Amino acid sequence: MTLVERVKGILGKPKEEWEKISLEDNQQSAILTGYLIPLALIPAIASFIGYSFIGVLGVHSLTLGLKHAVISLVSTIIGAYITAFIVDLLAPGFSAQKNFNRAFALVVYAATPQYVAGVLYIFPFLGIIVLLAAIYGLYLLYIGMKPMMKVSDDKHTIYFIISLIVVIAVYFVVSAILSAIFIGSMAMRGAL
């Protein structure tokens, strides 16, 4: 299956696509290189363009664009791994199947709308629409949990809610850490 076919399937017919994905090998290394990195580059490149040349309230620079691009790319990759690790770690507590590769596939494919909508970061003020796309990704996470993690009907919703809290927390923590690192390093360079 090609990247474009997978994106179309997960966005357009998610229930059918999750069934297909649940039958696949789901090796995290193949998903990382063949799906996550190419799609994570969309918001990263768009952020670079948007913050370098268009900006927010007239403020733009190549340094600002590069900072946003790197934070976007790194936080997407690190966030996917941390979230998948926690979703997998929580699985036995909800009578779900513990399998990191399947948890990684679940987390990465569920975030597809956010990756695709990330093209809107070319115009940074449209970032709110990316947030709306991420909400659709939460729906994808919800419907993907049953086929991917084999969670029982009675524990599905609570497993999703706990995973949702983790996804949101991981996103904000990773972004804050990366922002602090880049802002701190930029401030130190400016002071020298």
Side-chain angles (χ1 to χ4, degrees), residues 103-142:
F104 187 74
L106 172 66
V107 168
V108 169
Y109 292 137
T112 300
Q114 187 175 344
Y115 307 143
V116 174
V119 73
L120 296 174
Y121 284 130
I122 288 177
F123 303 102
F125 56 87
L126 293 178
I128 190 72
I129 297 172
V130 180
L131 180 62
L132 295 175
I135 292 170
Y136 181 59
L138 296 177
Y139 167 73
L140 295 178
L141 182 69
Y142 180 78

PDB file of all heavy atoms in Angstrom, residues 103-142:
ATOM      1  N   ALA A 103       0.581  -0.394  18.838  1.00  0.00           N
ATOM      2  CA  ALA A 103       0.307   0.896  19.489  1.00  0.00           C
ATOM      3  C   ALA A 103       0.925   2.034  18.684  1.00  0.00           C
ATOM      4  O   ALA A 103       0.306   3.099  18.518  1.00  0.00           O
ATOM      5  CB  ALA A 103       0.848   0.889  20.913  1.00  0.00           C
ATOM      6  N   PHE A 104       2.136   1.831  18.181  1.00  0.00           N
ATOM      7  CA  PHE A 104       2.800   2.857  17.370  1.00  0.00           C
ATOM      8  C   PHE A 104       2.003   3.113  16.092  1.00  0.00           C
ATOM      9  O   PHE A 104       1.766   4.267  15.716  1.00  0.00           O
ATOM     10  CB  PHE A 104       4.232   2.427  17.049  1.00  0.00           C
ATOM     11  CG  PHE A 104       5.047   3.485  16.370  1.00  0.00           C
ATOM     12  CD1 PHE A 104       5.522   4.582  17.075  1.00  0.00           C
ATOM     13  CD2 PHE A 104       5.356   3.389  15.022  1.00  0.00           C
ATOM     14  CE1 PHE A 104       6.276   5.574  16.453  1.00  0.00           C
ATOM     15  CE2 PHE A 104       6.118   4.365  14.389  1.00  0.00           C
ATOM     16  CZ  PHE A 104       6.571   5.453  15.103  1.00  0.00           C
ATOM     17  N   ALA A 105       1.566   2.042  15.424  1.00  0.00           N
ATOM     18  CA  ALA A 105       0.761   2.199  14.212  1.00  0.00           C
ATOM     19  C   ALA A 105      -0.527   2.953  14.526  1.00  0.00           C
ATOM     20  O   ALA A 105      -0.926   3.857  13.789  1.00  0.00           O
ATOM     21  CB  ALA A 105       0.451   0.832  13.600  1.00  0.00           C
ATOM     22  N   LEU A 106      -1.166   2.604  15.628  1.00  0.00           N
ATOM     23  CA  LEU A 106      -2.403   3.266  16.046  1.00  0.00           C
ATOM     24  C   LEU A 106      -2.188   4.765  16.213  1.00  0.00           C
ATOM     25  O   LEU A 106      -2.926   5.583  15.658  1.00  0.00           O
ATOM     26  CB  LEU A 106      -2.908   2.649  17.352  1.00  0.00           C
ATOM     27  CG  LEU A 106      -4.089   3.347  18.031  1.00  0.00           C
ATOM     28  CD1 LEU A 106      -5.341   3.229  17.173  1.00  0.00           C
ATOM     29  CD2 LEU A 106      -4.324   2.759  19.414  1.00  0.00           C
ATOM     30  N   VAL A 107      -1.175   5.129  16.962  1.00  0.00           N
ATOM     31  CA  VAL A 107      -0.904   6.539  17.262  1.00  0.00           C
ATOM     32  C   VAL A 107      -0.533   7.310  15.989  1.00  0.00           C
ATOM     33  O   VAL A 107      -1.047   8.402  15.738  1.00  0.00           O
ATOM     34  CB  VAL A 107       0.212   6.657  18.324  1.00  0.00           C
ATOM     35  CG1 VAL A 107       0.729   8.079  18.447  1.00  0.00           C
ATOM     36  CG2 VAL A 107      -0.291   6.137  19.667  1.00  0.00           C
ATOM     37  N   VAL A 108       0.331   6.749  15.173  1.00  0.00           N
ATOM     38  CA  VAL A 108       0.803   7.438  13.968  1.00  0.00           C
ATOM     39  C   VAL A 108      -0.325   7.606  12.956  1.00  0.00           C
ATOM     40  O   VAL A 108      -0.557   8.706  12.447  1.00  0.00           O
ATOM     41  CB  VAL A 108       2.008   6.693  13.350  1.00  0.00           C
ATOM     42  CG1 VAL A 108       2.342   7.242  11.969  1.00  0.00           C
ATOM     43  CG2 VAL A 108       3.216   6.797  14.273  1.00  0.00           C
ATOM     44  N   TYR A 109      -1.038   6.529  12.648  1.00  0.00           N
ATOM     45  CA  TYR A 109      -2.102   6.629  11.647  1.00  0.00           C
ATOM     46  C   TYR A 109      -3.257   7.508  12.133  1.00  0.00           C
ATOM     47  O   TYR A 109      -3.868   8.215  11.335  1.00  0.00           O
ATOM     48  CB  TYR A 109      -2.609   5.243  11.256  1.00  0.00           C
ATOM     49  CG  TYR A 109      -1.584   4.418  10.490  1.00  0.00           C
ATOM     50  CD1 TYR A 109      -1.397   3.077  10.787  1.00  0.00           C
ATOM     51  CD2 TYR A 109      -0.815   4.979   9.482  1.00  0.00           C
ATOM     52  CE1 TYR A 109      -0.471   2.313  10.094  1.00  0.00           C
ATOM     53  CE2 TYR A 109       0.127   4.229   8.788  1.00  0.00           C
ATOM     54  CZ  TYR A 109       0.284   2.889   9.094  1.00  0.00           C
ATOM     55  OH  TYR A 109       1.202   2.146   8.407  1.00  0.00           O
ATOM     56  N   ALA A 110      -3.548   7.484  13.421  1.00  0.00           N
ATOM     57  CA  ALA A 110      -4.632   8.318  13.945  1.00  0.00           C
ATOM     58  C   ALA A 110      -4.314   9.807  13.821  1.00  0.00           C
ATOM     59  O   ALA A 110      -5.223  10.632  13.743  1.00  0.00           O
ATOM     60  CB  ALA A 110      -4.917   7.963  15.404  1.00  0.00           C
ATOM     61  N   ALA A 111      -3.047  10.154  13.789  1.00  0.00           N
ATOM     62  CA  ALA A 111      -2.652  11.561  13.688  1.00  0.00           C
ATOM     63  C   ALA A 111      -2.593  12.059  12.241  1.00  0.00           C
ATOM     64  O   ALA A 111      -2.257  13.228  12.006  1.00  0.00           O
ATOM     65  CB  ALA A 111      -1.299  11.767  14.368  1.00  0.00           C
ATOM     66  N   THR A 112      -2.955  11.236  11.290  1.00  0.00           N
ATOM     67  CA  THR A 112      -2.894  11.610   9.874  1.00  0.00           C
ATOM     68  C   THR A 112      -3.579  12.935   9.557  1.00  0.00           C
ATOM     69  O   THR A 112      -3.004  13.769   8.837  1.00  0.00           O
ATOM     70  CB  THR A 112      -3.454  10.475   8.995  1.00  0.00           C
ATOM     71  OG1 THR A 112      -2.661   9.298   9.205  1.00  0.00           O
ATOM     72  CG2 THR A 112      -3.452  10.841   7.524  1.00  0.00           C
ATOM     73  N   PRO A 113      -4.783  13.199  10.059  1.00  0.00           N
ATOM     74  CA  PRO A 113      -5.415  14.481   9.710  1.00  0.00           C
ATOM     75  C   PRO A 113      -4.582  15.693  10.129  1.00  0.00           C
ATOM     76  O   PRO A 113      -4.528  16.691   9.416  1.00  0.00           O
ATOM     77  CB  PRO A 113      -6.745  14.464  10.487  1.00  0.00           C
ATOM     78  CG  PRO A 113      -6.985  13.050  10.850  1.00  0.00           C
ATOM     79  CD  PRO A 113      -5.651  12.377  10.912  1.00  0.00           C
ATOM     80  N   GLN A 114      -3.929  15.575  11.259  1.00  0.00           N
ATOM     81  CA  GLN A 114      -3.095  16.670  11.750  1.00  0.00           C
ATOM     82  C   GLN A 114      -1.879  16.875  10.848  1.00  0.00           C
ATOM     83  O   GLN A 114      -1.503  18.012  10.567  1.00  0.00           O
ATOM     84  CB  GLN A 114      -2.657  16.366  13.173  1.00  0.00           C
ATOM     85  CG  GLN A 114      -1.936  17.489  13.848  1.00  0.00           C
ATOM     86  CD  GLN A 114      -1.637  17.159  15.309  1.00  0.00           C
ATOM     87  OE1 GLN A 114      -2.210  16.231  15.883  1.00  0.00           O
ATOM     88  NE2 GLN A 114      -0.743  17.909  15.887  1.00  0.00           N
ATOM     89  N   TYR A 115      -1.276  15.780  10.414  1.00  0.00           N
ATOM     90  CA  TYR A 115      -0.118  15.901   9.525  1.00  0.00           C
ATOM     91  C   TYR A 115      -0.523  16.579   8.214  1.00  0.00           C
ATOM     92  O   TYR A 115       0.149  17.495   7.744  1.00  0.00           O
ATOM     93  CB  TYR A 115       0.484  14.543   9.172  1.00  0.00           C
ATOM     94  CG  TYR A 115       0.843  13.646  10.321  1.00  0.00           C
ATOM     95  CD1 TYR A 115       0.656  12.272  10.218  1.00  0.00           C
ATOM     96  CD2 TYR A 115       1.383  14.136  11.510  1.00  0.00           C
ATOM     97  CE1 TYR A 115       0.996  11.424  11.255  1.00  0.00           C
ATOM     98  CE2 TYR A 115       1.719  13.299  12.551  1.00  0.00           C
ATOM     99  CZ  TYR A 115       1.517  11.937  12.417  1.00  0.00           C
ATOM    100  OH  TYR A 115       1.839  11.087  13.432  1.00  0.00           O
ATOM    101  N   VAL A 116      -1.609  16.106   7.618  1.00  0.00           N
ATOM    102  CA  VAL A 116      -2.050  16.628   6.326  1.00  0.00           C
ATOM    103  C   VAL A 116      -2.477  18.089   6.451  1.00  0.00           C
ATOM    104  O   VAL A 116      -2.091  18.931   5.638  1.00  0.00           O
ATOM    105  CB  VAL A 116      -3.179  15.750   5.744  1.00  0.00           C
ATOM    106  CG1 VAL A 116      -3.748  16.366   4.477  1.00  0.00           C
ATOM    107  CG2 VAL A 116      -2.659  14.338   5.467  1.00  0.00           C
ATOM    108  N   ALA A 117      -3.255  18.400   7.468  1.00  0.00           N
ATOM    109  CA  ALA A 117      -3.709  19.785   7.663  1.00  0.00           C
ATOM    110  C   ALA A 117      -2.540  20.706   8.007  1.00  0.00           C
ATOM    111  O   ALA A 117      -2.658  21.920   7.877  1.00  0.00           O
ATOM    112  CB  ALA A 117      -4.766  19.854   8.761  1.00  0.00           C
ATOM    113  N   GLY A 118      -1.418  20.140   8.420  1.00  0.00           N
ATOM    114  CA  GLY A 118      -0.235  20.931   8.751  1.00  0.00           C
ATOM    115  C   GLY A 118       0.256  21.805   7.619  1.00  0.00           C
ATOM    116  O   GLY A 118       0.997  22.767   7.839  1.00  0.00           O
ATOM    117  N   VAL A 119      -0.177  21.516   6.397  1.00  0.00           N
ATOM    118  CA  VAL A 119       0.190  22.371   5.266  1.00  0.00           C
ATOM    119  C   VAL A 119      -0.316  23.796   5.484  1.00  0.00           C
ATOM    120  O   VAL A 119       0.261  24.758   4.966  1.00  0.00           O
ATOM    121  CB  VAL A 119      -0.325  21.778   3.925  1.00  0.00           C
ATOM    122  CG1 VAL A 119      -1.827  21.921   3.797  1.00  0.00           C
ATOM    123  CG2 VAL A 119       0.389  22.413   2.748  1.00  0.00           C
ATOM    124  N   LEU A 120      -1.348  23.944   6.296  1.00  0.00           N
ATOM    125  CA  LEU A 120      -1.913  25.272   6.562  1.00  0.00           C
ATOM    126  C   LEU A 120      -0.986  26.158   7.390  1.00  0.00           C
ATOM    127  O   LEU A 120      -1.205  27.360   7.476  1.00  0.00           O
ATOM    128  CB  LEU A 120      -3.267  25.141   7.257  1.00  0.00           C
ATOM    129  CG  LEU A 120      -4.355  24.452   6.431  1.00  0.00           C
ATOM    130  CD1 LEU A 120      -5.609  24.248   7.268  1.00  0.00           C
ATOM    131  CD2 LEU A 120      -4.657  25.242   5.169  1.00  0.00           C
ATOM    132  N   TYR A 121       0.045  25.571   7.998  1.00  0.00           N
ATOM    133  CA  TYR A 121       1.007  26.383   8.748  1.00  0.00           C
ATOM    134  C   TYR A 121       1.789  27.326   7.832  1.00  0.00           C
ATOM    135  O   TYR A 121       2.519  28.182   8.316  1.00  0.00           O
ATOM    136  CB  TYR A 121       1.974  25.512   9.536  1.00  0.00           C
ATOM    137  CG  TYR A 121       1.368  24.900  10.781  1.00  0.00           C
ATOM    138  CD1 TYR A 121       1.498  23.544  11.035  1.00  0.00           C
ATOM    139  CD2 TYR A 121       0.680  25.679  11.709  1.00  0.00           C
ATOM    140  CE1 TYR A 121       0.950  22.977  12.175  1.00  0.00           C
ATOM    141  CE2 TYR A 121       0.125  25.121  12.846  1.00  0.00           C
ATOM    142  CZ  TYR A 121       0.274  23.769  13.074  1.00  0.00           C
ATOM    143  OH  TYR A 121      -0.268  23.217  14.199  1.00  0.00           O
ATOM    144  N   ILE A 122       1.622  27.184   6.538  1.00  0.00           N
ATOM    145  CA  ILE A 122       2.203  28.170   5.623  1.00  0.00           C
ATOM    146  C   ILE A 122       1.661  29.554   5.991  1.00  0.00           C
ATOM    147  O   ILE A 122       2.350  30.555   5.876  1.00  0.00           O
ATOM    148  CB  ILE A 122       1.900  27.822   4.147  1.00  0.00           C
ATOM    149  CG1 ILE A 122       2.739  26.611   3.731  1.00  0.00           C
ATOM    150  CG2 ILE A 122       2.171  29.002   3.236  1.00  0.00           C
ATOM    151  CD1 ILE A 122       2.485  26.112   2.333  1.00  0.00           C
ATOM    152  N   PHE A 123       0.424  29.571   6.435  1.00  0.00           N
ATOM    153  CA  PHE A 123      -0.193  30.788   6.966  1.00  0.00           C
ATOM    154  C   PHE A 123      -0.410  30.548   8.451  1.00  0.00           C
ATOM    155  O   PHE A 123      -1.433  29.978   8.840  1.00  0.00           O
ATOM    156  CB  PHE A 123      -1.517  31.084   6.254  1.00  0.00           C
ATOM    157  CG  PHE A 123      -1.363  31.216   4.765  1.00  0.00           C
ATOM    158  CD1 PHE A 123      -1.730  30.166   3.930  1.00  0.00           C
ATOM    159  CD2 PHE A 123      -0.817  32.358   4.215  1.00  0.00           C
ATOM    160  CE1 PHE A 123      -1.566  30.275   2.556  1.00  0.00           C
ATOM    161  CE2 PHE A 123      -0.651  32.479   2.848  1.00  0.00           C
ATOM    162  CZ  PHE A 123      -1.020  31.426   2.008  1.00  0.00           C
ATOM    163  N   PRO A 124       0.554  30.939   9.297  1.00  0.00           N
ATOM    164  CA  PRO A 124       0.513  30.583  10.726  1.00  0.00           C
ATOM    165  C   PRO A 124      -0.806  30.873  11.434  1.00  0.00           C
ATOM    166  O   PRO A 124      -1.199  30.135  12.335  1.00  0.00           O
ATOM    167  CB  PRO A 124       1.651  31.407  11.323  1.00  0.00           C
ATOM    168  CG  PRO A 124       2.612  31.580  10.194  1.00  0.00           C
ATOM    169  CD  PRO A 124       1.749  31.723   8.968  1.00  0.00           C
ATOM    170  N   PHE A 125      -1.516  31.896  10.998  1.00  0.00           N
ATOM    171  CA  PHE A 125      -2.787  32.232  11.637  1.00  0.00           C
ATOM    172  C   PHE A 125      -3.871  31.190  11.363  1.00  0.00           C
ATOM    173  O   PHE A 125      -4.914  31.200  11.998  1.00  0.00           O
ATOM    174  CB  PHE A 125      -3.260  33.632  11.220  1.00  0.00           C
ATOM    175  CG  PHE A 125      -3.374  33.817   9.736  1.00  0.00           C
ATOM    176  CD1 PHE A 125      -4.538  33.486   9.064  1.00  0.00           C
ATOM    177  CD2 PHE A 125      -2.298  34.330   9.013  1.00  0.00           C
ATOM    178  CE1 PHE A 125      -4.638  33.651   7.692  1.00  0.00           C
ATOM    179  CE2 PHE A 125      -2.392  34.504   7.635  1.00  0.00           C
ATOM    180  CZ  PHE A 125      -3.559  34.156   6.973  1.00  0.00           C
ATOM    181  N   LEU A 126      -3.632  30.240  10.449  1.00  0.00           N
ATOM    182  CA  LEU A 126      -4.591  29.171  10.176  1.00  0.00           C
ATOM    183  C   LEU A 126      -4.328  27.931  11.037  1.00  0.00           C
ATOM    184  O   LEU A 126      -4.977  26.897  10.857  1.00  0.00           O
ATOM    185  CB  LEU A 126      -4.552  28.779   8.693  1.00  0.00           C
ATOM    186  CG  LEU A 126      -5.033  29.839   7.705  1.00  0.00           C
ATOM    187  CD1 LEU A 126      -4.900  29.333   6.271  1.00  0.00           C
ATOM    188  CD2 LEU A 126      -6.464  30.245   7.992  1.00  0.00           C
ATOM    189  N   GLY A 127      -3.415  28.057  11.982  1.00  0.00           N
ATOM    190  CA  GLY A 127      -3.070  26.938  12.844  1.00  0.00           C
ATOM    191  C   GLY A 127      -4.251  26.363  13.606  1.00  0.00           C
ATOM    192  O   GLY A 127      -4.270  25.170  13.921  1.00  0.00           O
ATOM    193  N   ILE A 128      -5.253  27.154  13.862  1.00  0.00           N
ATOM    194  CA  ILE A 128      -6.437  26.679  14.582  1.00  0.00           C
ATOM    195  C   ILE A 128      -7.149  25.596  13.786  1.00  0.00           C
ATOM    196  O   ILE A 128      -7.740  24.674  14.356  1.00  0.00           O
ATOM    197  CB  ILE A 128      -7.395  27.853  14.934  1.00  0.00           C
ATOM    198  CG1 ILE A 128      -8.489  27.393  15.897  1.00  0.00           C
ATOM    199  CG2 ILE A 128      -8.013  28.453  13.686  1.00  0.00           C
ATOM    200  CD1 ILE A 128      -8.009  27.145  17.285  1.00  0.00           C
ATOM    201  N   ILE A 129      -7.077  25.653  12.465  1.00  0.00           N
ATOM    202  CA  ILE A 129      -7.715  24.629  11.631  1.00  0.00           C
ATOM    203  C   ILE A 129      -6.981  23.292  11.792  1.00  0.00           C
ATOM    204  O   ILE A 129      -7.610  22.238  11.764  1.00  0.00           O
ATOM    205  CB  ILE A 129      -7.771  25.082  10.155  1.00  0.00           C
ATOM    206  CG1 ILE A 129      -8.651  26.342  10.050  1.00  0.00           C
ATOM    207  CG2 ILE A 129      -8.302  23.963   9.259  1.00  0.00           C
ATOM    208  CD1 ILE A 129      -8.650  26.997   8.701  1.00  0.00           C
ATOM    209  N   VAL A 130      -5.679  23.355  12.004  1.00  0.00           N
ATOM    210  CA  VAL A 130      -4.910  22.132  12.252  1.00  0.00           C
ATOM    211  C   VAL A 130      -5.395  21.487  13.551  1.00  0.00           C
ATOM    212  O   VAL A 130      -5.502  20.261  13.651  1.00  0.00           O
ATOM    213  CB  VAL A 130      -3.387  22.409  12.298  1.00  0.00           C
ATOM    214  CG1 VAL A 130      -2.609  21.136  12.564  1.00  0.00           C
ATOM    215  CG2 VAL A 130      -2.929  23.061  10.995  1.00  0.00           C
ATOM    216  N   LEU A 131      -5.724  22.305  14.523  1.00  0.00           N
ATOM    217  CA  LEU A 131      -6.274  21.785  15.781  1.00  0.00           C
ATOM    218  C   LEU A 131      -7.597  21.064  15.530  1.00  0.00           C
ATOM    219  O   LEU A 131      -7.858  20.004  16.102  1.00  0.00           O
ATOM    220  CB  LEU A 131      -6.460  22.930  16.785  1.00  0.00           C
ATOM    221  CG  LEU A 131      -7.034  22.547  18.139  1.00  0.00           C
ATOM    222  CD1 LEU A 131      -6.114  21.569  18.868  1.00  0.00           C
ATOM    223  CD2 LEU A 131      -7.252  23.777  18.982  1.00  0.00           C
ATOM    224  N   LEU A 132      -8.432  21.599  14.662  1.00  0.00           N
ATOM    225  CA  LEU A 132      -9.691  20.939  14.322  1.00  0.00           C
ATOM    226  C   LEU A 132      -9.435  19.595  13.639  1.00  0.00           C
ATOM    227  O   LEU A 132     -10.142  18.616  13.897  1.00  0.00           O
ATOM    228  CB  LEU A 132     -10.546  21.842  13.431  1.00  0.00           C
ATOM    229  CG  LEU A 132     -11.030  23.142  14.068  1.00  0.00           C
ATOM    230  CD1 LEU A 132     -11.765  24.001  13.043  1.00  0.00           C
ATOM    231  CD2 LEU A 132     -11.913  22.864  15.269  1.00  0.00           C
ATOM    232  N   ALA A 133      -8.424  19.543  12.797  1.00  0.00           N
ATOM    233  CA  ALA A 133      -8.054  18.280  12.151  1.00  0.00           C
ATOM    234  C   ALA A 133      -7.577  17.270  13.194  1.00  0.00           C
ATOM    235  O   ALA A 133      -7.861  16.072  13.092  1.00  0.00           O
ATOM    236  CB  ALA A 133      -6.969  18.514  11.100  1.00  0.00           C
ATOM    237  N   ALA A 134      -6.861  17.756  14.204  1.00  0.00           N
ATOM    238  CA  ALA A 134      -6.390  16.877  15.274  1.00  0.00           C
ATOM    239  C   ALA A 134      -7.566  16.272  16.044  1.00  0.00           C
ATOM    240  O   ALA A 134      -7.478  15.134  16.517  1.00  0.00           O
ATOM    241  CB  ALA A 134      -5.470  17.638  16.218  1.00  0.00           C
ATOM    242  N   ILE A 135      -8.666  16.995  16.130  1.00  0.00           N
ATOM    243  CA  ILE A 135      -9.860  16.459  16.797  1.00  0.00           C
ATOM    244  C   ILE A 135     -10.404  15.263  16.003  1.00  0.00           C
ATOM    245  O   ILE A 135     -10.819  14.260  16.578  1.00  0.00           O
ATOM    246  CB  ILE A 135     -10.913  17.562  17.009  1.00  0.00           C
ATOM    247  CG1 ILE A 135     -10.377  18.565  18.040  1.00  0.00           C
ATOM    248  CG2 ILE A 135     -12.257  16.977  17.439  1.00  0.00           C
ATOM    249  CD1 ILE A 135     -11.196  19.825  18.171  1.00  0.00           C
ATOM    250  N   TYR A 136     -10.380  15.370  14.689  1.00  0.00           N
ATOM    251  CA  TYR A 136     -10.774  14.216  13.864  1.00  0.00           C
ATOM    252  C   TYR A 136      -9.812  13.046  14.122  1.00  0.00           C
ATOM    253  O   TYR A 136     -10.220  11.885  14.161  1.00  0.00           O
ATOM    254  CB  TYR A 136     -10.812  14.581  12.384  1.00  0.00           C
ATOM    255  CG  TYR A 136     -11.227  13.437  11.482  1.00  0.00           C
ATOM    256  CD1 TYR A 136     -12.461  12.810  11.650  1.00  0.00           C
ATOM    257  CD2 TYR A 136     -10.387  12.977  10.474  1.00  0.00           C
ATOM    258  CE1 TYR A 136     -12.845  11.756  10.830  1.00  0.00           C
ATOM    259  CE2 TYR A 136     -10.766  11.929   9.651  1.00  0.00           C
ATOM    260  CZ  TYR A 136     -11.995  11.322   9.834  1.00  0.00           C
ATOM    261  OH  TYR A 136     -12.373  10.274   9.029  1.00  0.00           O
ATOM    262  N   GLY A 137      -8.552  13.362  14.342  1.00  0.00           N
ATOM    263  CA  GLY A 137      -7.570  12.332  14.674  1.00  0.00           C
ATOM    264  C   GLY A 137      -7.921  11.603  15.966  1.00  0.00           C
ATOM    265  O   GLY A 137      -7.651  10.405  16.107  1.00  0.00           O
ATOM    266  N   LEU A 138      -8.530  12.298  16.903  1.00  0.00           N
ATOM    267  CA  LEU A 138      -8.958  11.646  18.144  1.00  0.00           C
ATOM    268  C   LEU A 138     -10.061  10.628  17.869  1.00  0.00           C
ATOM    269  O   LEU A 138     -10.090   9.548  18.461  1.00  0.00           O
ATOM    270  CB  LEU A 138      -9.429  12.689  19.162  1.00  0.00           C
ATOM    271  CG  LEU A 138      -8.345  13.653  19.646  1.00  0.00           C
ATOM    272  CD1 LEU A 138      -8.950  14.681  20.588  1.00  0.00           C
ATOM    273  CD2 LEU A 138      -7.206  12.909  20.302  1.00  0.00           C
ATOM    274  N   TYR A 139     -10.954  10.975  16.963  1.00  0.00           N
ATOM    275  CA  TYR A 139     -11.977  10.014  16.544  1.00  0.00           C
ATOM    276  C   TYR A 139     -11.308   8.789  15.909  1.00  0.00           C
ATOM    277  O   TYR A 139     -11.689   7.644  16.192  1.00  0.00           O
ATOM    278  CB  TYR A 139     -12.955  10.683  15.568  1.00  0.00           C
ATOM    279  CG  TYR A 139     -13.854   9.700  14.852  1.00  0.00           C
ATOM    280  CD1 TYR A 139     -14.900   9.071  15.537  1.00  0.00           C
ATOM    281  CD2 TYR A 139     -13.655   9.399  13.513  1.00  0.00           C
ATOM    282  CE1 TYR A 139     -15.725   8.165  14.881  1.00  0.00           C
ATOM    283  CE2 TYR A 139     -14.475   8.495  12.855  1.00  0.00           C
ATOM    284  CZ  TYR A 139     -15.499   7.875  13.543  1.00  0.00           C
ATOM    285  OH  TYR A 139     -16.309   6.970  12.894  1.00  0.00           O
ATOM    286  N   LEU A 140     -10.307   9.028  15.078  1.00  0.00           N
ATOM    287  CA  LEU A 140      -9.591   7.912  14.449  1.00  0.00           C
ATOM    288  C   LEU A 140      -8.906   7.040  15.496  1.00  0.00           C
ATOM    289  O   LEU A 140      -8.892   5.811  15.376  1.00  0.00           O
ATOM    290  CB  LEU A 140      -8.560   8.433  13.445  1.00  0.00           C
ATOM    291  CG  LEU A 140      -9.118   9.165  12.220  1.00  0.00           C
ATOM    292  CD1 LEU A 140      -7.981   9.669  11.340  1.00  0.00           C
ATOM    293  CD2 LEU A 140     -10.067   8.274  11.441  1.00  0.00           C
ATOM    294  N   LEU A 141      -8.359   7.669  16.517  1.00  0.00           N
ATOM    295  CA  LEU A 141      -7.732   6.923  17.607  1.00  0.00           C
ATOM    296  C   LEU A 141      -8.790   6.052  18.301  1.00  0.00           C
ATOM    297  O   LEU A 141      -8.555   4.872  18.568  1.00  0.00           O
ATOM    298  CB  LEU A 141      -7.085   7.881  18.606  1.00  0.00           C
ATOM    299  CG  LEU A 141      -6.353   7.262  19.789  1.00  0.00           C
ATOM    300  CD1 LEU A 141      -5.090   6.548  19.326  1.00  0.00           C
ATOM    301  CD2 LEU A 141      -6.002   8.329  20.817  1.00  0.00           C
ATOM    302  N   TYR A 142      -9.942   6.626  18.550  1.00  0.00           N
ATOM    303  CA  TYR A 142     -11.020   5.904  19.229  1.00  0.00           C
ATOM    304  C   TYR A 142     -11.446   4.667  18.432  1.00  0.00           C
ATOM    305  O   TYR A 142     -11.525   3.568  18.980  1.00  0.00           O
ATOM    306  CB  TYR A 142     -12.210   6.834  19.464  1.00  0.00           C
ATOM    307  CG  TYR A 142     -13.357   6.157  20.166  1.00  0.00           C
ATOM    308  CD1 TYR A 142     -13.323   5.930  21.536  1.00  0.00           C
ATOM    309  CD2 TYR A 142     -14.482   5.734  19.458  1.00  0.00           C
ATOM    310  CE1 TYR A 142     -14.365   5.297  22.197  1.00  0.00           C
ATOM    311  CE2 TYR A 142     -15.530   5.098  20.103  1.00  0.00           C
ATOM    312  CZ  TYR A 142     -15.465   4.878  21.467  1.00  0.00           C
ATOM    313  OH  TYR A 142     -16.498   4.248  22.108  1.00  0.00           O
TER     314      TYR A 142
END
